[in-house]
Each structure stands twice: as C-alpha cells, then as structure tokens.
Amino acid sequence: MSETTTPTATDDARRASGRRRARKGEGELLRDEILDAAEDLLVEKGSMDEVTIRSVAKAVGVSAPAIYLHFADKDELFYETCRRVFDVLNQRLIEAFGDADRPVAERMTRAGRAYIQFALEHPDQYLVIFGSIHPDQMDDPDKMMTDPGVQSFEMLVSVIQAGVDAEEFRSDLDVPSVAVAVWGAVHGVAQILITKRGMERIEIPDDDQVIDAVLATLLEGIRV
Amino acid sequence: MSETTTPTATDDARRASGRRRARKGEGELLRDEILDAAEDLLVEKGSMDEVTIRSVAKAVGVSAPAIYLHFADKDELFYETCRRVFDVLNQRLIEAFGDADRPVAERMTRAGRAYIQFALEHPDQYLVIFGSIHPDQMDDPDKMMTDPGVQSFEMLVSVIQAGVDAEEFRSDLDVPSVAVAVWGAVHGVAQILITKRGMERIEIPDDDQVIDAVLATLLEGIRV
DNA sequence: TGTACATCAGTGAACGCGCGTTCACTGATGTAC
DNA sequence: TGTACATCAGTGAACGCGCGTTCACTGATGTAC
C-alpha cells in the first residue's frame, strides 16, 4: 500500500463531485457552479429558507466556507441566483416585444404568452422571485429584483402607447394604469397555473385555454 | 416585607400582559388570543418562518409550552391563523356576489373590488396565504387553504355563466377558462399593488385607477 | 362549613439540532531570480 | 533548469445562536363528602 496507490480523501471528493480545484485566476469558475447549484436546490426545495449554505456547498462538491470566497453571505448568494433567472425572462420579453413591424396586439399577445410560459417553465424560481419582492424586505433599494423588471415594464407601457397611437387601442385608455392591470393579470394567471396542481378541488382548464382566455379578454377590452 | 405585599413574578407577568390564568373549562379562551397574536406577528414579520413560537407566547403573555396545550405544532398554529383570514375574504365575496337582482357586470365589479381591497387591507396575511399555497407543500389535501377558496371560485364561475345566460356576456366564452383568467387577473393586480411600495423605480398610478383599469378591461373584454 | 382530593391551565429549565459564519490552516500553482 | 517564495483556492473544526419541542413540576380551581 504505497502512497501512490492509496486513494486519499481528496481523491474521493474529486471523483464524487467531478470537481478539481480551480487554477490560479480561475476562481470565478466556482462562482457559476455555486449559482447553478443554488438555483437547482431552490427549485427542489421551493424556498430560500429551506436551502442551506451547507447543502449548496455539498451539491457543488466543496466545503461550506468555500462559498464565502465568492459571496459575502447567504442573502447575496440568493439575490444573485434570482437575478440571473429574472434576466432570462427579461430577455425573452424584449424579443417578444421587439418586432416593431407587426401589429401591437400581436406583439402584446406574444409577450404575454412568453411571460406565462416562462413562469410555467421555471415555476419555483418564479415564485421565489415574486415571493422575495416583499415590501418589508425592500429596504435596500440596490438589492431589488426589479432592475430588469423596470425595463420590461417600461417596454409594456410604450407598446400600449404605440397601440393607442396606431389607433389599434382605444384613445381614452389611462395607459400606465392599463399597463399595471395587464402585468398584474398576466402575473396572476401565471401564479394560479403554477399552484393549480395543489388545488385538485377546483377544476382548472388546460393551461393554453386559460392563457388564451386572459390574453383575449384583455386585448378585447382595450381594442378600438 | 410580608408575603401579601411582596409582588411575585407571577404578579408581574399578569400586570405586564393583562392576562389571568383561565378558569377551569375556559382554556379555549387562550386559543383565540394565540391566534390573534400569531396573526399580528405574521403581519409584522411578513413570513411564517420569522415568527417563532416563543414570540407568539411572549406576545400573549404566556410561556412557550402553553402554546402546545392548544396546537399540536407550529404548522397547525399557522394553518389555523391563515384559514381565519381566508374565511373573512370568502364572506366578503359572498356578500358582493350575492345580490342576484342586480346586473351580472355590476356584481362582478363589486366582487373584484372587494377582493383587491381586502388584499390591500390585509397585505401580509394575503401574501402569506398565497405564498403558503405552494405546490410542494400541498401533499396533505386536508391542509389546503382552498376550502373557502373553492366556494368563492364556484360562485365566480356561476356568476359568469349567469352573465352569458342573461346575454350580458358573449355566448362564445369558455366560462371556466375566463373564470380562472379573471381570478388570476384580480389576484395579480392585488399582489402588484401590495408590493409596489418596494418598486419606487416603476411609477405606479393610484390604487383606484389600476383597480378600475383591470376591472373595466376585463368586463369590456367579455361583454356582448 | 371544612377539608381532602382530582383536575386543569399553566410554568421553568433543559434537550438536541441545524444553521450561518469564522478561524487558523494547507497545499497546489505560478513566478522571480 | 532549479529552487525559494508569494499567492491563491480551498479545507476541517469549531463557534454561538435561536429554534421547536419535551419533561417534570406547580398551584389555582372546582368538587365530593
């Protein structure tokens, strides 16, 4: 049993997790792995409170203190985790809204569908993000999830305004109020479709039917 | 310093909290006080996880183990706390829907307004209730918040159907889908108005304007 | 009316646990000479 | 090319803390005789 053939604890850890210690200057690689693991665990557990620093570290194949080489504390880790997800949603909305040649009604429908579909594809992250936007937790304005959200919301406002200008939508609309109403409606439907699994006693139609219903109803309500 | 004049620790506790030990057979009185305190703390903290059994006991003026004379564990305590709130909302919706003489559109508007206003009056309980309806936590069907919710939802469905029958609403509506859409829209707007305090960068109009916008848009969208 | 007793609504101290975080350290990697 | 050294990415053990919950108990209240 020479030293070269005896597996060490370090070897075991490497084999189990598939991780090697990062080269010098490549420490940032671990950061992304941590964020990936945190996101996966968030999906699995459904709440930030039930995901521990230790479990994230274990999933990555690293010791718990190693997390602190990349994030100041637990809050910062999960803030970054959620922001990444929100960025993807924002990107999809920009794409859906962006095609300025098409009719406004069509662009809004596509964006609304993209929004709800994103929420259904990432149900846990979506709920965590919205759950984490709690008034009491918003004391630090720099830590808000809304940076990308603000951008999307402003696009929504200007698209509705464009619809009014193009005489697709009624001219008497209070555009900002309608924008909040549309956002709220789409968000609310997304949340209900996510949670409907638990509501067996309410017979909820297919996702697509409900998505069509809310988008059609909203559009019909603001159309000329 | 005779025993009759020396204040005991028990006297102090009584004076501080205003509680007396319940008479025999009146143990149930404490139960309501516990639920009231739990609800208040829930509002204050914004999340079940941040309210401890110890803090509830302290607010009531009782020792922590006393809680266990009335509730099996922490889950049961907060389940009951939320159910009470949900029952009030349900009652308000029944009232708003109930006046069968009036036009359906008016009844729906009143119910929608009552729903959002209730959410704004009890923002934290509302978010906690909706936050606690998480798919992963719904494994025990007897512990669902939806018992009163089911009743309200069924009323919504039948009211919309009544609107179709009375030829107030379009005959081609898929009533169940529209009901989910309406519920989702109202819920989503309520949630956004609750959380808007934290979103200073998005300029959100007055509550009433937004409420009017979503209800008018939805109604206009389903009207004949 | 007095008194022994059962019952009930609580209490105080302690339990075990898991958590976020800190600390002193190790050992591989790259670099200057 | 060899070697001493600085740097960096980690580790293992331990910390203090607050939590939900349990346990053995106390003392006021009502009741039977």
Side-chain angles (χ1 to χ4, degrees):
Chain A
M1 283 211 251
S2 75
E3 280 187 353
T4 52
T5 59
T6 305
T8 65
T10 307
D11 285 338
D12 284 343
R14 241 183 236 143
R15 213 176 300 121
S17 70
R19 289 208 88 251
R20 293 200 109 83
R21 176 211 201 101
R23 318 283 273 265
K24 261 185 164 176
E26 294 179 349
E28 287 299 302
L29 296 178
L30 177 56
R31 187 186 154 92
D32 286 334
E33 288 182 60
I34 292 171
L35 286 171
D36 289 339
E39 191 177 328
D40 288 346
L41 285 166
L42 207 52
V43 169
E44 195 183 317
K45 299 294 183 182
S47 151
M48 229 188 80
D49 293 320
E50 287 175 51
V51 179
T52 64
I53 290 274
R54 288 163 141 95
S55 68
V56 173
K58 191 178 172 190
V60 177
V62 109
S63 70
I67 304 290
Y68 292 87
L69 298 172
H70 301 277
F71 302 93
D73 52 25
K74 194 184 179 185
D75 279 350
E76 188 179 310
L77 166 59
F78 281 97
Y79 168 69
E80 289 296 331
T81 303
C82 288
R83 209 179 49 77
R84 285 201 320 173
V85 177
F86 217 92
D87 279 341
V88 175
L89 170 57
N90 193 42
Q91 201 52 47
R92 292 224 203 149
L93 289 179
I94 289 172
E95 287 165 19
F97 276 136
D99 199 352
D101 295 338
R102 314 201 73 90
V104 174
E106 183 185 326
R107 290 159 67 197
M108 281 190 59
T109 303
R110 284 178 52 184
R113 209 180 293 277
Y115 187 104
I116 299 178
Q117 252 152 21
F118 177 87
L120 295 177
E121 283 164 22
H122 308 273
D124 300 278
Q125 296 98 319
Y126 184 80
L127 291 188
V128 168
I129 289 174
F130 253 90
S132 65
I133 307 184
H134 189 279
D136 294 353
Q137 296 167 358
M138 301 300 268
D139 41 6
D140 180 358
D142 290 337
K143 283 225 160 186
M144 290 193 327
M145 305 297 160
T146 46
D147 288 348
V150 171
Q151 200 183 346
S152 293
F153 182 74
E154 281 168 358
M155 286 192 72
L156 176 61
V157 171
S158 66
V159 167
I160 294 176
Q161 185 61 56
V164 172
D165 294 343
E167 293 182 356
E168 276 186 64
F169 296 161
R170 285 164 33 205
S171 61
D172 63 339
L173 296 184
D174 176 32
V175 173
S177 295
V178 170
V180 176
V182 168
W183 177 28
V186 168
H187 154 65
V189 167
Q191 179 160 351
I192 282 171
L193 290 180
I194 288 173
T195 40
K196 76 163 182 202
R197 266 182 281 164
M199 304 185 192
E200 295 130 13
R201 288 178 210 163
I202 294 182
E203 202 181 313
I204 288 190
D206 284 345
D207 291 357
D208 287 335
Q209 274 178 273
V210 174
I211 295 172
D212 287 347
V214 71
L215 296 176
T217 300
L218 289 172
L219 260 188
E220 202 56 43
I222 60 181
R223 238 183 193 131
V224 171
Chain B
M1 285 210 247
S2 74
E3 279 188 352
T4 52
T5 59
T6 305
T8 64
T10 308
D11 285 337
D12 283 344
R14 243 183 235 143
R15 213 175 301 121
S17 70
R19 289 209 87 248
R20 292 200 110 82
R21 175 210 200 106
R23 319 283 272 264
K24 262 186 163 175
E26 293 179 349
E28 287 298 303
L29 295 178
L30 178 55
R31 187 186 154 92
D32 285 336
E33 287 183 61
I34 293 171
L35 286 171
D36 288 340
E39 191 177 326
D40 287 346
L41 285 166
L42 206 52
V43 169
E44 194 183 318
K45 299 296 183 181
S47 151
M48 230 188 78
D49 293 321
E50 287 174 52
V51 180
T52 65
I53 290 275
R54 289 164 140 96
S55 68
V56 173
K58 190 177 172 191
V60 177
V62 111
S63 70
I67 305 290
Y68 292 88
L69 298 172
H70 300 277
F71 302 94
D73 53 24
K74 193 185 179 183
D75 279 350
E76 189 179 309
L77 167 59
F78 281 97
Y79 168 69
E80 290 295 331
T81 303
C82 287
R83 209 179 49 76
R84 285 201 320 174
V85 177
F86 216 93
D87 279 342
V88 175
L89 169 57
N90 193 43
Q91 201 51 46
R92 291 222 203 151
L93 290 180
I94 289 172
E95 287 164 20
F97 276 137
D99 198 352
D101 294 339
R102 314 201 73 90
V104 174
E106 184 185 325
R107 290 159 67 198
M108 281 190 58
T109 303
R110 284 178 51 185
R113 209 179 294 276
Y115 186 104
I116 299 178
Q117 250 152 20
F118 176 86
L120 294 178
E121 284 164 21
H122 307 272
D124 301 277
Q125 294 98 319
Y126 184 80
L127 291 188
V128 167
I129 288 175
F130 253 90
S132 66
I133 306 183
H134 189 278
D136 294 353
Q137 297 167 358
M138 300 300 267
D139 38 7
D140 180 358
D142 291 336
K143 283 225 161 189
M144 290 193 327
M145 307 295 159
T146 47
D147 288 348
V150 170
Q151 200 184 345
S152 294
F153 182 73
E154 281 167 359
M155 287 191 71
L156 176 60
V157 171
S158 66
V159 166
I160 294 176
Q161 185 61 56
V164 173
D165 294 343
E167 292 183 356
E168 275 186 63
F169 296 161
R170 284 162 36 203
S171 61
D172 63 339
L173 296 183
D174 176 33
V175 173
S177 294
V178 170
V180 176
V182 169
W183 177 28
V186 168
H187 154 64
V189 167
Q191 180 160 351
I192 283 171
L193 290 180
I194 287 173
T195 40
K196 77 165 181 200
R197 267 181 282 164
M199 304 185 193
E200 295 131 12
R201 288 179 211 160
I202 294 183
E203 203 181 312
I204 288 190
D206 283 347
D207 291 357
D208 287 335
Q209 273 177 275
V210 175
I211 295 172
D212 288 346
V214 71
L215 296 176
T217 300
L218 289 171
L219 261 187
E220 201 58 42
I222 60 181
R223 241 186 190 126
V224 171

